Each structure stands twice: as C-alpha cells, then as structure tokens.
Amino acid sequence: MKYLTEKLELKVKQAFSDAGFDREAGKVTVSNRPDLCEFQCNGAMALAKKEKKNPFDIAEAVCARLKDDEAFSKAETVKPGFINLNVSDAILIETLKEMRETDRCGAHLDVDHEKIIIDYGGPNVAKPLHIGHLRSAIIGESLKKMGRFLGHEVIGDIHLGDWGLQMGLIIAELKERGKEYPDTISELEEIYPLASEKSKTDAAFKDKAMEETFKLQHGDKHNLDVWHRIMELSVADLKKNYEKLNVDFDLWLGESDADPYIEEMVQRLKDEGYAHESEGALVVDVTEESDSKEVPPCMILKSDGASLYTTTDLATLVERQRDYAPDRIIYVVDKRQQLHFTQVFRAAKKCGIVPESTDLDFLGFGTMNGKDGKPFKTREGGVMRLEVLLDDVTSEMYKKMKENDSISLSDEEIRDTAGIIALSAIKYGDLSNQASKDYIFDSDKFTSFEGNTGPYIMYTMVRIKSILRKYAAEYGDFDPEAFELKPPVSDVEKALMLTISGFGNMIRSAFNEIAPHRVCAYMYELANEFNRFYHNTKIISEEDREKREGWMALSVFTLRIFSYCVEMLGMKEADQM
Ligand code: ARG
C-alpha cells in the first residue's frame, strides 16, 4: 500500500508534469504550519529559480489541476509560490482502512531489505553493568526492533569486552589469594575493582596482571579455564540484567571470538603492504585529504606485539564478513569513541576487510548526566548500577500508584505495573533525546504522568483500554476490529486520523536516519491528538450507533499504533494504572 503522502505526491507530480514542468518538483511533505494546511509542496520555488519564472504562476498552474481532484479538500497557492493542501475525508479514510488491513499497518521499506548487524550493549565482562552501558542497550535494542518491523534482517550482537587486561587483573588477584576460581558473581565484583585499584599503585602487580593477560591470549590452559569460569558467572548475570531491561541479543560474541582471526589478518596486512612499522608499532595510515582534523594512523599491533582495541574490532569485522557478509553494521557506542571508529572503518575499507559497499555507521551517544550536569552517580557518589536505578524508579512509581485511591489492582499487580511503567520512564526518557546529545536524568520529570514522558504514553494507552472495558460493560462484548472507520466529524478527529496516517512514513525515516527519538516525538503527538479527541468526544454515551462504533474503531486503531511503537522501543504495555 502507499502512504498518504506518497499518494498525494503522485498526484502533485502529475500536475507539475501536466502543466509542462519537471515532475520531480512535486515533492509533498506534511505541513510545518498545521494552522494553514495539512500538507505542502514547495517545489515551485526552486523550479522558478531554475526556469527563471515567477513561482506564483507555476504554483497556480499546478493548483488549477489539483482543485477538482477528489483527494483534496483544498489546493491553494500562497505567495511567493507555496502550494498548501488539505486532504478530503475520502482519501484519508481510504488510506486508514488500507493501513488497518495491511500487515504492520502498511509500514514498508523504500529500498531492498538489508542484512544489518547492530553492535550494541558492549558490556565488559566481570565489571558490573553500569549506566554507561544503559544507553547503548536501550538505543541499540530499539534500532534492532525498528529495522525488523520494517522488514530488514537484523542481527543484534552484544560484543562483550571479554579479552582485555581486566581478565589478567582478576587472574592475578585470584592467584595472590591462593584461589583457583571465583565462586560467585559478587566475589567477582569485589575482586575486579580492588585489583584495578591495586594495579594503579603496585607496579609489580600490574606487571603480573599483564603477564596473565598475555598468557591467556596465547592459549595458557589454566588461564583459559579460569576465563571460562569468569565468563559463565558474568554472562549469566548479564542475561539476568538485560532481561530486566527487556533487551536481548542474538549473538553473545565478544572480543575473544575475534582473537583467532588476528594473526592471519595481521600477516595479510603486512604482506599486501597495507600496514607498516612506525616507532616499533604496526600501523595502517588512514588520513584522508579532506580531513579538517588529523586522523592518526590506525594502530594494529603495539611495539611489544600485543593487540589493541582497534585490532579486535578489525578482526571482528573479518569474522562478521566471513559469517554474515552484512550490508550494514551499526555501532551504538559512547560518542567519545568516534575517532576509534573512524580509524577502524577507514582501515577496514582500505585493507579490503569489508567491501566498499558495506555501510559502517557509528551512532555515538552522549552522556547521561545527573541534575548537577555531571555524569550520573549514586547518592554516595559512586557509579550507579543499572539494576539499582531500575529498582529506584520502580519504587517511585509504586509509591505514586499507591497514592491513587481509585486503583483496583492488587498489591502484586501494582508492583508489576510499576515495573513496566518504570521501564517506560527510563527508556522513553533516554530515547526521546537525540542520541548524540547529553541529557539529564531527572527522575521527577521522567516519572511524571504529564508531559513528554513514558508514563504519559502509558497512561494514554491505558485510557484507551479502559474505554474498551467501559464500552463492553455498557453494550456487551464486541469485536472492535469489526467496527468500520467513519469520516471524521470534527477537526480534532481529523487531526488524530492524519497523525495515524503518518505512521509508516515516520518509522521508515526514523530508521533510515538512525533516529529512535523520532518515534518518541510521534508517540507524543499521537497521545496529544488522542487526548484532545477524547476530551472533545463523548464516545460511550453517543446515541448514534454508527458514530459510536466509528470512534471505537478509531480508538482501537490508535492503540494498535501505540502498541507497535512501544514494542519497537523495547518498552512493555500496562493494562491498568
Ligand atoms: N566494551 C566497550 C566499552 O565498554 C564497548 C564496545 C563497543 N563495540 C565495539 N565493537 N567496539 O567501551
């Protein structure tokens, strides 16, 4: 099916062409002045410059051909040459009906479907999962779901940090304690920060840790055994935590999985002349003429022969190319790693590790700050752990829900629902900001039932569910999907319908631009439009059955669009609150 804007655009393009102009000027967008019109076409302006004609005359000639088209209730030229358009009820209803009957409400791609790997999460094994990894998990999960919804083949890879010095630190500390293996995750979590601190003041200990890391990376049997045990404990704990966040990965690969590819890759880069020695280290030059800031060479091996973060990322690309040959890889990582990825991407293309045609995208996200504008910390000033944050927000939601006397849920149900709403508060609070920006985690604001928040969206959805219950109580059981959509009777109703009609277009461009915040902006608009419609319309008490059923159909349709968005953003739905 075609989106409403696509249908309108075809007509406007045809009008341009019939009037003797370039049809490509007929691009139609949703109006940015909803007070003046619903859709607009500004093509006459650019065309006028090119053809040295008066833009108003061009727009007039085009409008003359649109005026009698039943798709438009208005087609008008405004100085200097804008075309302002309103749609007829007929084409609007026709489009909504098609959407309702089409899989995923007709959301579809404008390109062939692609095989996409999303590299996100990126926790470091044995280190507790903290807020720094929260954003990556939340954003990456939403991109994965958005891509799938549109019909792409998307593979989510957690890319564990499981092969670095932290492993050597733990092994060295275990040895000092005369222990073979760590027994529990809490023991591991106690050992790592201690060993890490110790290595900063105790040079001999640091050397030992480096030696253990080297031995591990070169196949030492004992260290590999300990490593496996650490991995087991850590991965089980990570899975538990990610599950709470409603995040899951298809691949649990990590830096260690790329290790077997390093030797051959390095040899090839040397043999084929891509890599050369520089001050003892092995590097690949990646500067480009157009660089405004210097991009230093990409280091492949340190002077002592050890591999680095760049090495494992390049080797991971070798592995991904071999196993998946993806069309695109999106990395969702802290924006402070931008330079690292510029180097890796350039080196990978230059050395033929991935084909030129593979899109390598870096979605760098900003920092989550506290109200003081500094990176978010616990009250004691420590690094906030993810599960603690989730628990804190859940308790806050629980308290708020308990204050509401009219709630008819059991204590246990309130607790569960509080968890769902807390998740929406955290995820929506994060995703509604453009990923690259820093943002302030403001618990009061994020958990508010009013304003641009997750709980407000949840509240609106619950409101629709409660209308359904009331309707059933009044008129008996019914199948809302069997009710037909009717032409709008009010402006607010039409506005809601127009917002719904923009769903497919919205999700497609949000994914193309790697911008989940656009889904949030859409949900907020949809919630506002629905609430306006709700306050303006007495649905249940309406005596005219046709109208009443049309409004129920519209409400249920709105709910369905919300559900898709909630699912795509990795949130969950509540039934009552
Ligand atoms: N483990 C890394 C960190 O905590 C993030 C990994 C990102 N992904 C990657 N392919 N480098 O900073």
Side-chain angles (χ1 to χ4, degrees):
M1 68 160 289
K2 288 209 169 1
Y3 300 148
L4 184 54
T5 40
E6 289 173 334
K7 290 183 187 176
L8 303 178
E9 191 163 294
L10 277 179
K11 288 177 181 288
V12 177
K13 282 186 169 167
Q14 191 58 45
F16 267 91
S17 149
D18 289 349
F21 301 113
D22 181 5
R23 57 181 287 124
E24 289 316 307
K27 184 117 195 55
V28 171
T29 54
V30 173
S31 163
N32 54 19
R33 285 291 303 276
D35 51 324
L36 298 180
C37 58
E38 294 158 358
F39 295 89
Q40 66 192 53
C41 168
N42 302 342
M45 244 83 69
L47 195 64
K49 254 199 208 127
K50 224 169 56 193
E51 304 224 334
K52 303 204 168 53
K53 284 203 169 102
N54 182 346
F56 194 83
D57 295 342
I58 297 179
E60 272 286 277
V62 172
C63 272
R65 288 173 165 79
L66 297 174
K67 280 201 169 85
D68 297 325
D69 190 314
E70 74 246 13
F72 301 103
S73 61
K74 175 173 101 175
E76 129 193 307
T77 315
V78 177
K79 276 190 175 137
F82 297 110
I83 298 172
N84 287 357
L85 302 166
N86 282 355
V87 292
S88 66
D89 292 351
I91 193 167
L92 183 55
I93 286 297
E94 171 203 286
T95 306
L96 291 194
K97 282 186 178 165
E98 283 167 8
M99 280 177 76
R100 209 158 80 124
E101 276 151 30
T102 314
D103 194 25
R104 293 166 285 167
C105 284
H108 58 88
L109 293 163
D110 50 357
V111 289
D112 284 343
H113 96 96
E114 294 189 319
K115 190 190 278 184
I116 302 171
I117 292 181
I118 303 193
D119 179 315
Y120 70 110
N124 300 313
V125 165
K127 304 186 190 176
L129 202 58
H130 63 76
I131 297 299
H133 297 112
L134 175 72
R135 296 211 69 190
S136 180
I138 292 178
I139 299 167
E141 184 74 10
S142 73
L143 285 174
K144 180 183 81 182
K145 292 193 160 141
M146 286 160 66
R148 281 191 187 153
F149 186 82
L150 281 163
H152 287 300
E153 180 186 347
V154 192
I155 304 160
D157 183 3
I158 188 167
H159 199 73
L160 295 166
D162 61 357
W163 206 230
L165 182 63
Q166 83 262 36
M167 294 298 178
L169 284 166
I170 296 167
I171 298 172
E173 175 62 21
L174 281 167
K175 284 198 174 162
E176 289 210 344
R177 294 182 185 190
K179 254 198 109 158
E180 217 163 349
Y181 303 114
D183 293 316
T184 60
I185 187 76
S186 355
E187 185 181 356
L188 210 48
E189 284 174 358
E190 180 258 322
I191 291 180
Y192 172 74
L194 189 132
S196 163
E197 273 310 303
K198 192 148 124 192
S199 72
K200 285 180 195 147
T201 51
D202 182 341
F205 180 74
K206 174 137 194 218
D207 285 346
K208 260 202 90 198
M210 281 173 39
E211 192 190 317
E212 298 297 353
T213 312
F214 184 88
K215 275 165 67 186
L216 169 71
Q217 294 180 349
H218 291 79
D220 179 87
K221 170 102 183 35
H222 172 79
N223 282 8
L224 271 172
D225 275 355
V226 184
W227 179 82
H228 277 296
R229 181 77 189 127
I230 297 173
M231 286 296 282
E232 240 174 88
L233 288 172
S234 247
V235 167
D237 185 59
L238 285 169
K239 287 199 169 153
K240 209 177 69 202
N241 272 289
Y242 280 122
E243 197 181 306
K244 280 193 201 159
L245 264 186
N246 201 22
V247 167
D248 79 288
F249 300 91
D250 306 292
L251 302 177
W252 281 78
L253 297 175
E255 294 176 352
S256 65
D257 295 283
D259 191 68
Y261 299 88
I262 291 179
E263 206 180 300
E264 196 188 316
M265 175 185 81
V266 170
Q267 195 55 49
R268 183 176 78 79
L269 298 195
K270 278 192 204 160
D271 291 349
E272 296 180 11
Y274 291 117
H276 64 88
E277 243 169 70
S278 164
E279 295 167 33
L282 190 68
V283 303
V284 173
D285 288 324
V286 291
T287 37
E288 282 173 11
E289 241 168 66
S290 56
D291 290 341
S292 54
K293 256 203 240 138
E294 198 205 332
V295 180
C298 180
M299 216 194 272
I300 307 295
L301 290 180
K302 287 203 280 195
S303 49
D304 63 1
S307 55
L308 310 103
Y309 191 36
T310 38
T311 326
T312 48
D313 262 326
L314 284 171
T316 300
L317 281 170
V318 173
E319 183 189 11
R320 286 179 179 159
Q321 182 60 31
R322 194 196 76 154
D323 293 346
Y324 299 99
D327 301 298
R328 182 177 190 186
I329 307 177
I330 305 174
Y331 293 79
V332 187
V333 188
D334 191 310
K335 70 179 174 196
R336 285 168 291 192
Q337 294 189 22
Q338 168 94 59
L339 180 61
H340 163 80
F341 282 100
T342 304
Q343 292 174 308
V344 168
F345 293 173
R346 286 186 183 179
K349 293 253 165 119
K350 180 175 177 180
C351 306
I353 291 174
V354 300
E356 205 46 61
S357 59
T358 309
D359 288 316
L360 298 175
D361 287 310
F362 174 68
L363 178 60
F365 52 82
T367 309
M368 174 170 141
N369 289 322
K371 276 190 191 163
D372 57 1
K374 299 204 186 97
F376 195 82
K377 293 265 160 64
T378 58
R379 256 169 247 129
E380 294 74 35
V383 179
M384 176 65 106
R385 297 188 43 162
L386 205 74
E387 64 221 84
V388 177
L389 177 78
L390 206 55
D391 287 348
D392 281 0
V393 179
T394 302
S395 320
E396 213 167 307
M397 286 318 319
Y398 174 80
K399 258 202 327 240
K400 275 196 188 187
M401 288 178 71
K402 275 291 203 189
E403 280 161 15
N404 175 2
D405 306 323
S406 64
I407 204 154
S408 65
L409 296 173
S410 71
D411 192 60
E412 199 190 323
E413 286 168 328
I414 293 182
R415 216 170 280 281
D416 287 348
T417 309
I420 292 175
I421 303 185
L423 191 71
S424 84
I426 294 174
K427 287 200 166 187
Y428 190 95
D430 188 302
L431 290 168
S432 55
N433 296 286
Q434 200 179 322
S436 61
K437 298 222 166 92
D438 295 349
Y439 74 93
I440 291 180
F441 185 87
D442 180 341
S443 192
D444 295 334
K445 193 171 123 198
F446 286 11
T447 57
S448 167
F449 291 118
E450 277 154 48
N452 189 10
T453 68
Y456 170 64
I457 304 293
M458 295 283 125
Y459 184 77
T460 307
M461 292 176 74
V462 163
R463 166 170 276 166
I464 302 179
K465 291 182 183 181
S466 118
I467 298 172
L468 291 177
R469 278 193 296 270
K470 281 189 194 136
Y471 194 92
E474 187 75 26
Y475 302 99
D477 276 345
F478 65 103
D479 173 11
E481 296 294 334
F483 291 165
E484 223 179 293
L485 287 159
K486 301 278 157 36
V489 291
S490 65
D491 288 349
V492 284
E493 190 180 356
K494 188 177 186 193
L496 173 60
M497 289 178 165
L498 281 167
T499 301
I500 293 177
S501 77
F503 169 71
N505 230 350
M506 175 284 296
I507 183 68
R508 186 166 78 191
S509 49
F511 185 76
N512 286 347
E513 292 160 29
I514 340 185
H517 70 276
R518 297 200 40 191
V519 181
C520 293
Y522 176 82
M523 290 168 93
Y524 186 48
E525 182 190 326
L526 187 63
N528 285 337
E529 296 297 358
F530 181 81
N531 286 318
R532 230 169 267 145
F533 160 74
Y534 171 81
H535 290 301
N536 184 65
T537 317
K538 302 237 170 321
I539 303 177
I540 312 254
S541 56
E542 171 60 44
E543 309 223 319
D544 180 334
R545 177 175 173 164
E546 294 264 299
K547 272 192 192 159
R548 207 172 60 215
E549 293 187 352
W551 289 334
M552 287 305 285
L554 182 59
S555 303
V556 171
F557 196 12
T558 306
L559 183 60
R560 181 154 136 217
I561 301 274
F562 269 128
S563 297
Y564 284 144
C565 294
V566 161
E567 155 68 21
M568 274 187 271
L569 297 188
M571 308 191 306
K572 288 181 184 167
E573 277 185 43
D575 288 330
Q576 266 189 75
M577 61 196 262

